[in-house]
Structure formats: structure tokens, C-alpha cells
Amino acid sequence: AQSVTQLDSHVSVSEGTPVLLRCNYSSSYSPSLFWYVQHPNKGLQLLLKYTSAATLVKGINGFEAEFKKSETSFHLTKPSAHMSDAAEYFCVVYRDDKIIFGKGTRLHILP
Amino acid sequence: NAGVTQTPKFQVLKTGQSMTLQCAQDMNHEYMSWYRQDPGMGLRLIHYSVGAGITDQGEVPNGYNVSRSTTEDFPLRLLSAAPSQTSVYFCASRRDRYYEQYFGPGTRLTVT
């Protein structure tokens, strides 16, 4: 069975500093992993996806994530946070025909 | 190409009432799903469908019913609304099992 754990419910960073949002998955085989973002009172938007082609995945708005099988992790990073990055981020794993969401990490950007 | 559409955007129900949340997509996607979003819980899967005539339960199916008579439509029925069903509901579709999922704008439901 596959599941996903987002290790932090809230993360606060200062504008211009790096962002790290952590996600661990459990899987008995190579998973399909995604990150989605939800801005306040908005729908969900795909940031990036991993489907085994490359371990370092680049997404939109300067975000990227690295798939590390040995650590069963798929952490989301960005070198320099912007105020517009304030949102909730969801790590998502595909399990058979179902899609399982993590509980989300709310990213706060401090001026 | 409208993508995934949901109606209504907002709804207030009294306990015990029934209603149907509508979802439609025009991308000819086989897979469609319903989620509810509650603070601190992420999105939880209610029901999903892998094609017309095929539906299955997700994590939190109790109190909800679905059917999929066409590829385009996937309505969610609340049989007898309860305050615990107050939530934001999202419908989503995708082309196939491992493809990106597209979300509708959501329906905010309040049950009093």
C-alpha cells in the first residue's frame, strides 16, 4: 500500500531565503509522486510530477523536487522564496487507481 | 474547453436534506474523483470512477452516493445531510491512471 506523510504542517521562511517542504512516502514499488499548490480560496494547481524519468524534477515558479528512493522522500525546494509563494502545498502519491493526498504544509513568507 | 466544472459554488443545507453536487468535464477523461477538503486533513477521497458505469469507494464514502452514466458527468449525492459534511468539495478528472489530475473550482457546502 502507498501513503504519503508531510512532515510539517506549517513552515515559515523569510522572503529571499530557501524553501524546504518535506514529504515521505511508503511504497512497495516505484511510485508516481506529485506536488500540488493551493493558494488561499483557490483551486489546486500542479507544481511538478515524478514518474521515474529523472530523480530531480523541475516544476513551475522555480520549484523543484528530488526523488530519493533510499530515503523514500520527495522533498520540495525553492532557492529563494517570494511573497507569492504563500500557499498550502500537498504531496500526492498515486496508488493503483486512487490518488492519496498528504495533509498539507502551509507555507508562510515573512517580509 | 472548459476543463472541470462544478455547480453550485456555494450551498447551505439543513440537516436531513438531500442534494446533488454536479461535476462535468469536457476533456474526455476516463478517471474522475470526488474529494472533500477540511482544515488540517488535506483532501480525502470520497468516491472515484475509472470509466462510465464503473465507480468505487475512497477513504470517506459514508453518506455519499455516485454514479457515472456518461464519460462527462460524475454527480455526487448527499443522501441525508449532516453537519459533519460541512466542507469544500472538489471534483477532479484525469486522462488515465498515472496522468496529471485536473481540479474543478470547488463547492463550499454548509450543513446547519
PDB file of all heavy atoms in Angstrom, chain A residues 32 34 36 38 41 43-44 46 88 90 94 96-99 101-103, chain B residues 31 35 37 40 42-43 45 48 50 57 90 94 97-101 103:
ATOM      1  N   SER A  32       4.367   7.002  -8.404  1.00  0.00           N
ATOM      2  CA  SER A  32       4.189   8.274  -9.102  1.00  0.00           C
ATOM      3  C   SER A  32       3.880   9.309  -8.037  1.00  0.00           C
ATOM      4  O   SER A  32       2.937   9.141  -7.256  1.00  0.00           O
ATOM      5  CB  SER A  32       3.031   8.183 -10.095  1.00  0.00           C
ATOM      6  OG  SER A  32       3.354   7.337 -11.161  1.00  0.00           O
ATOM      7  N   PHE A  34       3.586  13.555  -6.892  1.00  0.00           N
ATOM      8  CA  PHE A  34       3.243  14.867  -7.386  1.00  0.00           C
ATOM      9  C   PHE A  34       3.284  15.869  -6.225  1.00  0.00           C
ATOM     10  O   PHE A  34       3.111  15.492  -5.062  1.00  0.00           O
ATOM     11  CB  PHE A  34       1.817  14.886  -7.950  1.00  0.00           C
ATOM     12  CG  PHE A  34       1.603  14.006  -9.157  1.00  0.00           C
ATOM     13  CD1 PHE A  34       1.653  12.637  -9.057  1.00  0.00           C
ATOM     14  CD2 PHE A  34       1.333  14.568 -10.385  1.00  0.00           C
ATOM     15  CE1 PHE A  34       1.443  11.821 -10.169  1.00  0.00           C
ATOM     16  CE2 PHE A  34       1.120  13.776 -11.505  1.00  0.00           C
ATOM     17  CZ  PHE A  34       1.175  12.403 -11.398  1.00  0.00           C
ATOM     18  N   TYR A  36       1.208  19.511  -5.470  1.00  0.00           N
ATOM     19  CA  TYR A  36       0.197  20.470  -5.880  1.00  0.00           C
ATOM     20  C   TYR A  36       0.255  21.671  -4.927  1.00  0.00           C
ATOM     21  O   TYR A  36       0.617  21.537  -3.757  1.00  0.00           O
ATOM     22  CB  TYR A  36      -1.209  19.863  -5.806  1.00  0.00           C
ATOM     23  CG  TYR A  36      -1.578  18.976  -6.970  1.00  0.00           C
ATOM     24  CD1 TYR A  36      -1.171  17.645  -7.002  1.00  0.00           C
ATOM     25  CD2 TYR A  36      -2.333  19.468  -8.031  1.00  0.00           C
ATOM     26  CE1 TYR A  36      -1.523  16.822  -8.068  1.00  0.00           C
ATOM     27  CE2 TYR A  36      -2.682  18.649  -9.097  1.00  0.00           C
ATOM     28  CZ  TYR A  36      -2.268  17.329  -9.106  1.00  0.00           C
ATOM     29  OH  TYR A  36      -2.618  16.524 -10.164  1.00  0.00           O
ATOM     30  N   GLN A  38      -2.075  25.119  -3.495  1.00  0.00           N
ATOM     31  CA  GLN A  38      -3.389  25.741  -3.404  1.00  0.00           C
ATOM     32  C   GLN A  38      -3.225  27.106  -2.744  1.00  0.00           C
ATOM     33  O   GLN A  38      -2.920  27.199  -1.557  1.00  0.00           O
ATOM     34  CB  GLN A  38      -4.352  24.875  -2.595  1.00  0.00           C
ATOM     35  CG  GLN A  38      -5.768  25.418  -2.567  1.00  0.00           C
ATOM     36  CD  GLN A  38      -6.702  24.536  -1.760  1.00  0.00           C
ATOM     37  OE1 GLN A  38      -6.308  23.916  -0.787  1.00  0.00           O
ATOM     38  NE2 GLN A  38      -7.962  24.490  -2.169  1.00  0.00           N
ATOM     39  N   ASN A  41      -8.220  30.347  -0.979  1.00  0.00           N
ATOM     40  CA  ASN A  41      -9.533  30.405  -1.637  1.00  0.00           C
ATOM     41  C   ASN A  41      -9.463  30.130  -3.139  1.00  0.00           C
ATOM     42  O   ASN A  41     -10.268  30.654  -3.915  1.00  0.00           O
ATOM     43  CB  ASN A  41     -10.197  31.764  -1.393  1.00  0.00           C
ATOM     44  CG  ASN A  41     -10.437  32.007   0.081  1.00  0.00           C
ATOM     45  OD1 ASN A  41     -10.961  31.139   0.781  1.00  0.00           O
ATOM     46  ND2 ASN A  41     -10.015  33.162   0.574  1.00  0.00           N
ATOM     47  N   GLY A  43      -8.440  26.971  -6.299  1.00  0.00           N
ATOM     48  CA  GLY A  43      -8.362  25.542  -6.572  1.00  0.00           C
ATOM     49  C   GLY A  43      -6.928  25.047  -6.519  1.00  0.00           C
ATOM     50  O   GLY A  43      -6.012  25.764  -6.126  1.00  0.00           O
ATOM     51  N   LEU A  44      -6.720  23.795  -6.905  1.00  0.00           N
ATOM     52  CA  LEU A  44      -5.403  23.176  -6.847  1.00  0.00           C
ATOM     53  C   LEU A  44      -4.717  23.215  -8.197  1.00  0.00           C
ATOM     54  O   LEU A  44      -5.343  22.988  -9.237  1.00  0.00           O
ATOM     55  CB  LEU A  44      -5.525  21.726  -6.387  1.00  0.00           C
ATOM     56  CG  LEU A  44      -5.899  21.599  -4.915  1.00  0.00           C
ATOM     57  CD1 LEU A  44      -7.365  21.262  -4.771  1.00  0.00           C
ATOM     58  CD2 LEU A  44      -5.033  20.560  -4.243  1.00  0.00           C
ATOM     59  N   LEU A  46      -1.112  21.930 -10.337  1.00  0.00           N
ATOM     60  CA  LEU A  46       0.028  21.037 -10.347  1.00  0.00           C
ATOM     61  C   LEU A  46       1.328  21.843 -10.366  1.00  0.00           C
ATOM     62  O   LEU A  46       1.514  22.731 -11.199  1.00  0.00           O
ATOM     63  CB  LEU A  46      -0.022  20.127 -11.573  1.00  0.00           C
ATOM     64  CG  LEU A  46       1.145  19.170 -11.736  1.00  0.00           C
ATOM     65  CD1 LEU A  46       1.112  18.100 -10.649  1.00  0.00           C
ATOM     66  CD2 LEU A  46       1.130  18.530 -13.112  1.00  0.00           C
ATOM     67  N   GLU A  88      -0.793  26.696   0.438  1.00  0.00           N
ATOM     68  CA  GLU A  88      -0.720  25.357   1.014  1.00  0.00           C
ATOM     69  C   GLU A  88      -0.231  24.402  -0.065  1.00  0.00           C
ATOM     70  O   GLU A  88      -0.675  24.476  -1.217  1.00  0.00           O
ATOM     71  CB  GLU A  88      -2.074  24.909   1.558  1.00  0.00           C
ATOM     72  CG  GLU A  88      -1.998  23.620   2.363  1.00  0.00           C
ATOM     73  CD  GLU A  88      -3.092  23.477   3.387  1.00  0.00           C
ATOM     74  OE1 GLU A  88      -4.157  24.094   3.219  1.00  0.00           O
ATOM     75  OE2 GLU A  88      -2.888  22.716   4.365  1.00  0.00           O
ATOM     76  N   PHE A  90       0.623  20.367  -1.230  1.00  0.00           N
ATOM     77  CA  PHE A  90       0.227  18.979  -0.996  1.00  0.00           C
ATOM     78  C   PHE A  90       1.134  18.033  -1.761  1.00  0.00           C
ATOM     79  O   PHE A  90       1.322  18.201  -2.971  1.00  0.00           O
ATOM     80  CB  PHE A  90      -1.221  18.743  -1.434  1.00  0.00           C
ATOM     81  CG  PHE A  90      -2.233  19.508  -0.633  1.00  0.00           C
ATOM     82  CD1 PHE A  90      -2.727  20.715  -1.086  1.00  0.00           C
ATOM     83  CD2 PHE A  90      -2.687  19.019   0.582  1.00  0.00           C
ATOM     84  CE1 PHE A  90      -3.662  21.426  -0.343  1.00  0.00           C
ATOM     85  CE2 PHE A  90      -3.620  19.724   1.334  1.00  0.00           C
ATOM     86  CZ  PHE A  90      -4.102  20.930   0.863  1.00  0.00           C
ATOM     87  N   TYR A  94       0.194   8.340  -6.177  1.00  0.00           N
ATOM     88  CA  TYR A  94      -0.810   7.549  -6.867  1.00  0.00           C
ATOM     89  C   TYR A  94      -0.736   6.116  -6.362  1.00  0.00           C
ATOM     90  O   TYR A  94       0.344   5.540  -6.303  1.00  0.00           O
ATOM     91  CB  TYR A  94      -0.567   7.570  -8.384  1.00  0.00           C
ATOM     92  CG  TYR A  94      -1.039   8.821  -9.070  1.00  0.00           C
ATOM     93  CD1 TYR A  94      -1.039  10.048  -8.435  1.00  0.00           C
ATOM     94  CD2 TYR A  94      -1.502   8.770 -10.385  1.00  0.00           C
ATOM     95  CE1 TYR A  94      -1.480  11.192  -9.072  1.00  0.00           C
ATOM     96  CE2 TYR A  94      -1.946   9.909 -11.051  1.00  0.00           C
ATOM     97  CZ  TYR A  94      -1.928  11.120 -10.380  1.00  0.00           C
ATOM     98  OH  TYR A  94      -2.364  12.246 -11.016  1.00  0.00           O
ATOM     99  N   ASP A  96      -2.565   2.581  -7.183  1.00  0.00           N
ATOM    100  CA  ASP A  96      -3.478   1.866  -8.088  1.00  0.00           C
ATOM    101  C   ASP A  96      -4.332   2.899  -8.821  1.00  0.00           C
ATOM    102  O   ASP A  96      -3.800   3.756  -9.495  1.00  0.00           O
ATOM    103  CB  ASP A  96      -4.310   0.855  -7.307  1.00  0.00           C
ATOM    104  CG  ASP A  96      -3.441  -0.169  -6.619  1.00  0.00           C
ATOM    105  OD1 ASP A  96      -2.419  -0.569  -7.224  1.00  0.00           O
ATOM    106  OD2 ASP A  96      -3.750  -0.566  -5.493  1.00  0.00           O
ATOM    107  N   ASP A  97      -5.635   2.843  -8.668  1.00  0.00           N
ATOM    108  CA  ASP A  97      -6.494   3.815  -9.342  1.00  0.00           C
ATOM    109  C   ASP A  97      -6.814   5.019  -8.470  1.00  0.00           C
ATOM    110  O   ASP A  97      -7.527   5.921  -8.897  1.00  0.00           O
ATOM    111  CB  ASP A  97      -7.802   3.147  -9.761  1.00  0.00           C
ATOM    112  CG  ASP A  97      -7.582   2.152 -10.898  1.00  0.00           C
ATOM    113  OD1 ASP A  97      -6.744   2.430 -11.767  1.00  0.00           O
ATOM    114  OD2 ASP A  97      -8.259   1.110 -10.905  1.00  0.00           O
ATOM    115  N   LYS A  98      -6.266   5.037  -7.246  1.00  0.00           N
ATOM    116  CA  LYS A  98      -6.598   6.124  -6.330  1.00  0.00           C
ATOM    117  C   LYS A  98      -5.442   7.113  -6.220  1.00  0.00           C
ATOM    118  O   LYS A  98      -4.300   6.772  -6.495  1.00  0.00           O
ATOM    119  CB  LYS A  98      -6.892   5.563  -4.937  1.00  0.00           C
ATOM    120  CG  LYS A  98      -8.017   4.569  -4.897  1.00  0.00           C
ATOM    121  CD  LYS A  98      -8.203   4.039  -3.489  1.00  0.00           C
ATOM    122  CE  LYS A  98      -9.221   2.908  -3.477  1.00  0.00           C
ATOM    123  NZ  LYS A  98      -9.351   2.315  -2.144  1.00  0.00           N
ATOM    124  N   ILE A  99      -5.771   8.316  -5.819  1.00  0.00           N
ATOM    125  CA  ILE A  99      -4.753   9.337  -5.572  1.00  0.00           C
ATOM    126  C   ILE A  99      -4.847   9.722  -4.104  1.00  0.00           C
ATOM    127  O   ILE A  99      -5.915  10.093  -3.632  1.00  0.00           O
ATOM    128  CB  ILE A  99      -4.970  10.553  -6.481  1.00  0.00           C
ATOM    129  CG1 ILE A  99      -4.776  10.133  -7.938  1.00  0.00           C
ATOM    130  CG2 ILE A  99      -4.028  11.682  -6.109  1.00  0.00           C
ATOM    131  CD1 ILE A  99      -5.022  11.235  -8.931  1.00  0.00           C
ATOM    132  N   PHE A 101      -3.618  12.060  -0.948  1.00  0.00           N
ATOM    133  CA  PHE A 101      -3.029  13.358  -0.606  1.00  0.00           C
ATOM    134  C   PHE A 101      -2.417  13.317   0.779  1.00  0.00           C
ATOM    135  O   PHE A 101      -2.970  12.698   1.700  1.00  0.00           O
ATOM    136  CB  PHE A 101      -4.111  14.441  -0.605  1.00  0.00           C
ATOM    137  CG  PHE A 101      -4.441  14.978  -1.957  1.00  0.00           C
ATOM    138  CD1 PHE A 101      -5.154  14.216  -2.870  1.00  0.00           C
ATOM    139  CD2 PHE A 101      -4.028  16.246  -2.332  1.00  0.00           C
ATOM    140  CE1 PHE A 101      -5.452  14.713  -4.131  1.00  0.00           C
ATOM    141  CE2 PHE A 101      -4.329  16.748  -3.590  1.00  0.00           C
ATOM    142  CZ  PHE A 101      -5.037  15.981  -4.489  1.00  0.00           C
ATOM    143  N   GLY A 102      -1.280  14.014   0.939  1.00  0.00           N
ATOM    144  CA  GLY A 102      -0.795  14.305   2.278  1.00  0.00           C
ATOM    145  C   GLY A 102      -1.702  15.341   2.916  1.00  0.00           C
ATOM    146  O   GLY A 102      -2.569  15.925   2.264  1.00  0.00           O
ATOM    147  N   LYS A 103      -1.484  15.598   4.204  1.00  0.00           N
ATOM    148  CA  LYS A 103      -2.347  16.530   4.931  1.00  0.00           C
ATOM    149  C   LYS A 103      -2.042  17.989   4.626  1.00  0.00           C
ATOM    150  O   LYS A 103      -2.784  18.879   5.041  1.00  0.00           O
ATOM    151  CB  LYS A 103      -2.263  16.278   6.431  1.00  0.00           C
ATOM    152  CG  LYS A 103      -2.838  14.923   6.851  1.00  0.00           C
ATOM    153  CD  LYS A 103      -3.028  14.840   8.337  1.00  0.00           C
ATOM    154  CE  LYS A 103      -3.404  13.453   8.821  1.00  0.00           C
ATOM    155  NZ  LYS A 103      -4.486  12.819   8.109  1.00  0.00           N
TER     156      LYS A 103
ATOM    157  N   TYR B  31     -10.923   8.897 -15.892  1.00  0.00           N
ATOM    158  CA  TYR B  31     -10.904   8.877 -14.434  1.00  0.00           C
ATOM    159  C   TYR B  31     -11.498  10.164 -13.873  1.00  0.00           C
ATOM    160  O   TYR B  31     -11.118  11.262 -14.272  1.00  0.00           O
ATOM    161  CB  TYR B  31      -9.459   8.750 -13.914  1.00  0.00           C
ATOM    162  CG  TYR B  31      -8.850   7.387 -14.066  1.00  0.00           C
ATOM    163  CD1 TYR B  31      -8.654   6.820 -15.317  1.00  0.00           C
ATOM    164  CD2 TYR B  31      -8.449   6.667 -12.949  1.00  0.00           C
ATOM    165  CE1 TYR B  31      -8.084   5.564 -15.449  1.00  0.00           C
ATOM    166  CE2 TYR B  31      -7.869   5.412 -13.065  1.00  0.00           C
ATOM    167  CZ  TYR B  31      -7.695   4.868 -14.312  1.00  0.00           C
ATOM    168  OH  TYR B  31      -7.124   3.620 -14.441  1.00  0.00           O
ATOM    169  N   TYR B  35     -13.438  14.672  -3.892  1.00  0.00           N
ATOM    170  CA  TYR B  35     -12.704  14.845  -2.648  1.00  0.00           C
ATOM    171  C   TYR B  35     -13.449  15.834  -1.760  1.00  0.00           C
ATOM    172  O   TYR B  35     -14.156  16.698  -2.237  1.00  0.00           O
ATOM    173  CB  TYR B  35     -11.315  15.438  -2.902  1.00  0.00           C
ATOM    174  CG  TYR B  35     -10.402  14.588  -3.736  1.00  0.00           C
ATOM    175  CD1 TYR B  35     -10.424  14.656  -5.117  1.00  0.00           C
ATOM    176  CD2 TYR B  35      -9.503  13.718  -3.127  1.00  0.00           C
ATOM    177  CE1 TYR B  35      -9.580  13.875  -5.881  1.00  0.00           C
ATOM    178  CE2 TYR B  35      -8.646  12.933  -3.889  1.00  0.00           C
ATOM    179  CZ  TYR B  35      -8.693  13.023  -5.267  1.00  0.00           C
ATOM    180  OH  TYR B  35      -7.844  12.248  -6.014  1.00  0.00           O
ATOM    181  N   GLN B  37     -12.332  18.614   1.353  1.00  0.00           N
ATOM    182  CA  GLN B  37     -11.191  19.251   1.992  1.00  0.00           C
ATOM    183  C   GLN B  37     -11.615  19.886   3.294  1.00  0.00           C
ATOM    184  O   GLN B  37     -12.499  20.751   3.315  1.00  0.00           O
ATOM    185  CB  GLN B  37     -10.563  20.309   1.079  1.00  0.00           C
ATOM    186  CG  GLN B  37      -9.317  20.937   1.681  1.00  0.00           C
ATOM    187  CD  GLN B  37      -8.639  21.925   0.765  1.00  0.00           C
ATOM    188  OE1 GLN B  37      -9.260  22.524  -0.104  1.00  0.00           O
ATOM    189  NE2 GLN B  37      -7.337  22.099   0.938  1.00  0.00           N
ATOM    190  N   GLY B  40      -6.556  21.023   7.958  1.00  0.00           N
ATOM    191  CA  GLY B  40      -5.620  20.098   8.595  1.00  0.00           C
ATOM    192  C   GLY B  40      -5.743  18.648   8.151  1.00  0.00           C
ATOM    193  O   GLY B  40      -5.009  17.793   8.644  1.00  0.00           O
ATOM    194  N   GLY B  42      -6.031  17.750   4.673  1.00  0.00           N
ATOM    195  CA  GLY B  42      -5.729  17.577   3.262  1.00  0.00           C
ATOM    196  C   GLY B  42      -6.999  17.308   2.472  1.00  0.00           C
ATOM    197  O   GLY B  42      -8.104  17.686   2.884  1.00  0.00           O
ATOM    198  N   LEU B  43      -6.851  16.651   1.344  1.00  0.00           N
ATOM    199  CA  LEU B  43      -8.010  16.244   0.551  1.00  0.00           C
ATOM    200  C   LEU B  43      -8.222  14.748   0.762  1.00  0.00           C
ATOM    201  O   LEU B  43      -7.287  13.965   0.621  1.00  0.00           O
ATOM    202  CB  LEU B  43      -7.798  16.522  -0.938  1.00  0.00           C
ATOM    203  CG  LEU B  43      -8.137  17.925  -1.401  1.00  0.00           C
ATOM    204  CD1 LEU B  43      -7.066  18.915  -0.984  1.00  0.00           C
ATOM    205  CD2 LEU B  43      -8.330  17.956  -2.913  1.00  0.00           C
ATOM    206  N   LEU B  45     -10.371  11.331  -0.351  1.00  0.00           N
ATOM    207  CA  LEU B  45     -11.107  10.776  -1.478  1.00  0.00           C
ATOM    208  C   LEU B  45     -12.428  10.195  -1.010  1.00  0.00           C
ATOM    209  O   LEU B  45     -12.466   9.363  -0.098  1.00  0.00           O
ATOM    210  CB  LEU B  45     -10.249   9.696  -2.153  1.00  0.00           C
ATOM    211  CG  LEU B  45     -10.819   9.028  -3.392  1.00  0.00           C
ATOM    212  CD1 LEU B  45     -10.966  10.032  -4.530  1.00  0.00           C
ATOM    213  CD2 LEU B  45      -9.902   7.887  -3.822  1.00  0.00           C
ATOM    214  N   TYR B  48     -14.593   7.446  -6.527  1.00  0.00           N
ATOM    215  CA  TYR B  48     -13.923   7.689  -7.783  1.00  0.00           C
ATOM    216  C   TYR B  48     -14.496   6.757  -8.855  1.00  0.00           C
ATOM    217  O   TYR B  48     -15.218   5.779  -8.546  1.00  0.00           O
ATOM    218  CB  TYR B  48     -12.402   7.519  -7.663  1.00  0.00           C
ATOM    219  CG  TYR B  48     -11.945   6.112  -7.368  1.00  0.00           C
ATOM    220  CD1 TYR B  48     -11.441   5.302  -8.380  1.00  0.00           C
ATOM    221  CD2 TYR B  48     -11.985   5.607  -6.073  1.00  0.00           C
ATOM    222  CE1 TYR B  48     -11.010   4.012  -8.122  1.00  0.00           C
ATOM    223  CE2 TYR B  48     -11.568   4.316  -5.801  1.00  0.00           C
ATOM    224  CZ  TYR B  48     -11.067   3.536  -6.809  1.00  0.00           C
ATOM    225  OH  TYR B  48     -10.642   2.256  -6.537  1.00  0.00           O
ATOM    226  N   VAL B  50     -13.406   4.973 -12.835  1.00  0.00           N
ATOM    227  CA  VAL B  50     -12.363   4.753 -13.852  1.00  0.00           C
ATOM    228  C   VAL B  50     -12.971   4.650 -15.246  1.00  0.00           C
ATOM    229  O   VAL B  50     -12.277   4.287 -16.198  1.00  0.00           O
ATOM    230  CB  VAL B  50     -11.511   3.516 -13.523  1.00  0.00           C
ATOM    231  CG1 VAL B  50     -10.827   3.690 -12.176  1.00  0.00           C
ATOM    232  CG2 VAL B  50     -12.349   2.248 -13.544  1.00  0.00           C
ATOM    233  N   GLN B  57     -15.384   3.097  -3.980  1.00  0.00           N
ATOM    234  CA  GLN B  57     -15.303   3.933  -2.799  1.00  0.00           C
ATOM    235  C   GLN B  57     -13.874   4.376  -2.526  1.00  0.00           C
ATOM    236  O   GLN B  57     -12.930   3.655  -2.791  1.00  0.00           O
ATOM    237  CB  GLN B  57     -15.814   3.147  -1.585  1.00  0.00           C
ATOM    238  CG  GLN B  57     -17.271   2.771  -1.680  1.00  0.00           C
ATOM    239  CD  GLN B  57     -17.737   2.018  -0.450  1.00  0.00           C
ATOM    240  OE1 GLN B  57     -16.938   1.628   0.397  1.00  0.00           O
ATOM    241  NE2 GLN B  57     -19.042   1.821  -0.340  1.00  0.00           N
ATOM    242  N   PHE B  90     -14.246  19.031  -3.939  1.00  0.00           N
ATOM    243  CA  PHE B  90     -13.582  19.185  -5.220  1.00  0.00           C
ATOM    244  C   PHE B  90     -13.817  17.952  -6.079  1.00  0.00           C
ATOM    245  O   PHE B  90     -13.702  16.824  -5.616  1.00  0.00           O
ATOM    246  CB  PHE B  90     -12.070  19.361  -5.040  1.00  0.00           C
ATOM    247  CG  PHE B  90     -11.679  20.700  -4.500  1.00  0.00           C
ATOM    248  CD1 PHE B  90     -11.428  20.866  -3.149  1.00  0.00           C
ATOM    249  CD2 PHE B  90     -11.564  21.801  -5.343  1.00  0.00           C
ATOM    250  CE1 PHE B  90     -11.076  22.102  -2.637  1.00  0.00           C
ATOM    251  CE2 PHE B  90     -11.213  23.045  -4.842  1.00  0.00           C
ATOM    252  CZ  PHE B  90     -10.971  23.189  -3.484  1.00  0.00           C
ATOM    253  N   ARG B  94      -8.818  12.942 -14.727  1.00  0.00           N
ATOM    254  CA  ARG B  94      -7.533  12.732 -15.389  1.00  0.00           C
ATOM    255  C   ARG B  94      -7.711  11.738 -16.508  1.00  0.00           C
ATOM    256  O   ARG B  94      -8.643  10.934 -16.516  1.00  0.00           O
ATOM    257  CB  ARG B  94      -6.450  12.277 -14.413  1.00  0.00           C
ATOM    258  CG  ARG B  94      -6.621  10.928 -13.779  1.00  0.00           C
ATOM    259  CD  ARG B  94      -5.610  10.782 -12.651  1.00  0.00           C
ATOM    260  NE  ARG B  94      -5.437   9.412 -12.182  1.00  0.00           N
ATOM    261  CZ  ARG B  94      -6.186   8.814 -11.265  1.00  0.00           C
ATOM    262  NH1 ARG B  94      -7.210   9.456 -10.738  1.00  0.00           N
ATOM    263  NH2 ARG B  94      -5.932   7.567 -10.895  1.00  0.00           N
ATOM    264  N   ARG B  97      -4.539   6.503 -15.514  1.00  0.00           N
ATOM    265  CA  ARG B  97      -4.148   6.234 -14.136  1.00  0.00           C
ATOM    266  C   ARG B  97      -3.003   7.112 -13.661  1.00  0.00           C
ATOM    267  O   ARG B  97      -3.031   7.641 -12.548  1.00  0.00           O
ATOM    268  CB  ARG B  97      -3.769   4.762 -14.003  1.00  0.00           C
ATOM    269  CG  ARG B  97      -3.374   4.372 -12.592  1.00  0.00           C
ATOM    270  CD  ARG B  97      -2.889   2.952 -12.532  1.00  0.00           C
ATOM    271  NE  ARG B  97      -3.994   1.993 -12.450  1.00  0.00           N
ATOM    272  CZ  ARG B  97      -3.836   0.716 -12.101  1.00  0.00           C
ATOM    273  NH1 ARG B  97      -2.642   0.243 -11.823  1.00  0.00           N
ATOM    274  NH2 ARG B  97      -4.859  -0.092 -12.049  1.00  0.00           N
ATOM    275  N   TYR B  98      -1.961   7.308 -14.473  1.00  0.00           N
ATOM    276  CA  TYR B  98      -0.762   7.984 -13.983  1.00  0.00           C
ATOM    277  C   TYR B  98      -0.631   9.414 -14.492  1.00  0.00           C
ATOM    278  O   TYR B  98       0.423  10.015 -14.384  1.00  0.00           O
ATOM    279  CB  TYR B  98       0.484   7.180 -14.351  1.00  0.00           C
ATOM    280  CG  TYR B  98       0.496   5.828 -13.688  1.00  0.00           C
ATOM    281  CD1 TYR B  98       0.358   4.663 -14.429  1.00  0.00           C
ATOM    282  CD2 TYR B  98       0.593   5.713 -12.311  1.00  0.00           C
ATOM    283  CE1 TYR B  98       0.343   3.424 -13.814  1.00  0.00           C
ATOM    284  CE2 TYR B  98       0.583   4.472 -11.693  1.00  0.00           C
ATOM    285  CZ  TYR B  98       0.453   3.331 -12.448  1.00  0.00           C
ATOM    286  OH  TYR B  98       0.427   2.115 -11.846  1.00  0.00           O
ATOM    287  N   TYR B  99      -1.679   9.953 -15.039  1.00  0.00           N
ATOM    288  CA  TYR B  99      -1.609  11.300 -15.590  1.00  0.00           C
ATOM    289  C   TYR B  99      -1.979  12.352 -14.549  1.00  0.00           C
ATOM    290  O   TYR B  99      -2.570  12.064 -13.510  1.00  0.00           O
ATOM    291  CB  TYR B  99      -2.533  11.427 -16.804  1.00  0.00           C
ATOM    292  CG  TYR B  99      -1.954  10.833 -18.059  1.00  0.00           C
ATOM    293  CD1 TYR B  99      -1.934   9.459 -18.249  1.00  0.00           C
ATOM    294  CD2 TYR B  99      -1.411  11.646 -19.052  1.00  0.00           C
ATOM    295  CE1 TYR B  99      -1.389   8.903 -19.390  1.00  0.00           C
ATOM    296  CE2 TYR B  99      -0.878  11.099 -20.202  1.00  0.00           C
ATOM    297  CZ  TYR B  99      -0.864   9.725 -20.365  1.00  0.00           C
ATOM    298  OH  TYR B  99      -0.319   9.179 -21.494  1.00  0.00           O
ATOM    299  N   GLU B 100      -1.634  13.591 -14.892  1.00  0.00           N
ATOM    300  CA  GLU B 100      -1.965  14.737 -14.039  1.00  0.00           C
ATOM    301  C   GLU B 100      -3.472  14.828 -13.840  1.00  0.00           C
ATOM    302  O   GLU B 100      -4.259  14.582 -14.745  1.00  0.00           O
ATOM    303  CB  GLU B 100      -1.480  16.018 -14.696  1.00  0.00           C
ATOM    304  CG  GLU B 100      -1.921  17.294 -13.991  1.00  0.00           C
ATOM    305  CD  GLU B 100      -1.610  18.534 -14.794  1.00  0.00           C
ATOM    306  OE1 GLU B 100      -0.933  18.420 -15.826  1.00  0.00           O
ATOM    307  OE2 GLU B 100      -2.043  19.627 -14.372  1.00  0.00           O
ATOM    308  N   GLN B 101      -3.861  15.203 -12.626  1.00  0.00           N
ATOM    309  CA  GLN B 101      -5.266  15.362 -12.301  1.00  0.00           C
ATOM    310  C   GLN B 101      -5.647  16.846 -12.406  1.00  0.00           C
ATOM    311  O   GLN B 101      -4.911  17.708 -11.929  1.00  0.00           O
ATOM    312  CB  GLN B 101      -5.527  14.844 -10.886  1.00  0.00           C
ATOM    313  CG  GLN B 101      -6.966  14.754 -10.512  1.00  0.00           C
ATOM    314  CD  GLN B 101      -7.212  13.750  -9.400  1.00  0.00           C
ATOM    315  OE1 GLN B 101      -7.966  12.815  -9.563  1.00  0.00           O
ATOM    316  NE2 GLN B 101      -6.597  13.941  -8.260  1.00  0.00           N
ATOM    317  N   PHE B 103      -8.472  19.774 -11.486  1.00  0.00           N
ATOM    318  CA  PHE B 103      -9.484  20.002 -10.458  1.00  0.00           C
ATOM    319  C   PHE B 103     -10.504  21.045 -10.891  1.00  0.00           C
ATOM    320  O   PHE B 103     -10.171  22.006 -11.592  1.00  0.00           O
ATOM    321  CB  PHE B 103      -8.827  20.479  -9.166  1.00  0.00           C
ATOM    322  CG  PHE B 103      -8.095  19.390  -8.442  1.00  0.00           C
ATOM    323  CD1 PHE B 103      -6.790  19.076  -8.763  1.00  0.00           C
ATOM    324  CD2 PHE B 103      -8.732  18.669  -7.442  1.00  0.00           C
ATOM    325  CE1 PHE B 103      -6.119  18.058  -8.107  1.00  0.00           C
ATOM    326  CE2 PHE B 103      -8.076  17.656  -6.777  1.00  0.00           C
ATOM    327  CZ  PHE B 103      -6.762  17.347  -7.112  1.00  0.00           C
TER     328      PHE B 103
END
